[in-house]
Amino acid sequence: MSKGPNFRLNYKGLGEVLRSPRAAALVNDAAAQLRDQAGDDAEMSEYTTDRRAASVSVPANLQASDGLLTKAAAAVGLTVRNR
């Protein structure tokens, strides 16, 4: 029985990719699309931890009553799942 491919994940290299300006641009573009789809009540924040990141938020009552952010995420092709 043959084994699958054998490789080692290069954590240092992956970290460099995740901190790169190109990765930031991809993350920010996805977040901006989500914000735009969610409408005027949505807010986007860009930030950096150990990598570039962005968040999109909507008022809790709109998410609770209409699922606004969940619907917007699905509309732009993001996978939505429960933890």
Side-chain angles (χ1 to χ4, degrees), residues 21 31 50-51 54 65 82:
D50 60 330
R51 67 195 84 160
S65 65
N82 292 330

Side-chain angles (χ1 to χ4, degrees), residues 11 37 53 68 76:
Y11 289 99
Q37 183 68 37
L68 180 64
V76 297

Side-chain angles (χ1 to χ4, degrees), residues 5 16 19-20 24 28 31 34 37 39-40 42 45 47 51-52 59 66 68 70 74-75 78-79 82-83:
E16 289 174 12
R19 287 186 297 275
S20 72
N28 292 338
L34 178 55
Q37 183 68 37
D40 294 335
S45 299
Y47 61 95
R51 67 195 84 160
R52 306 291 180 100
D66 299 328
L68 180 64
T70 304
L78 299 173
T79 302
N82 292 330
R83 286 186 171 210

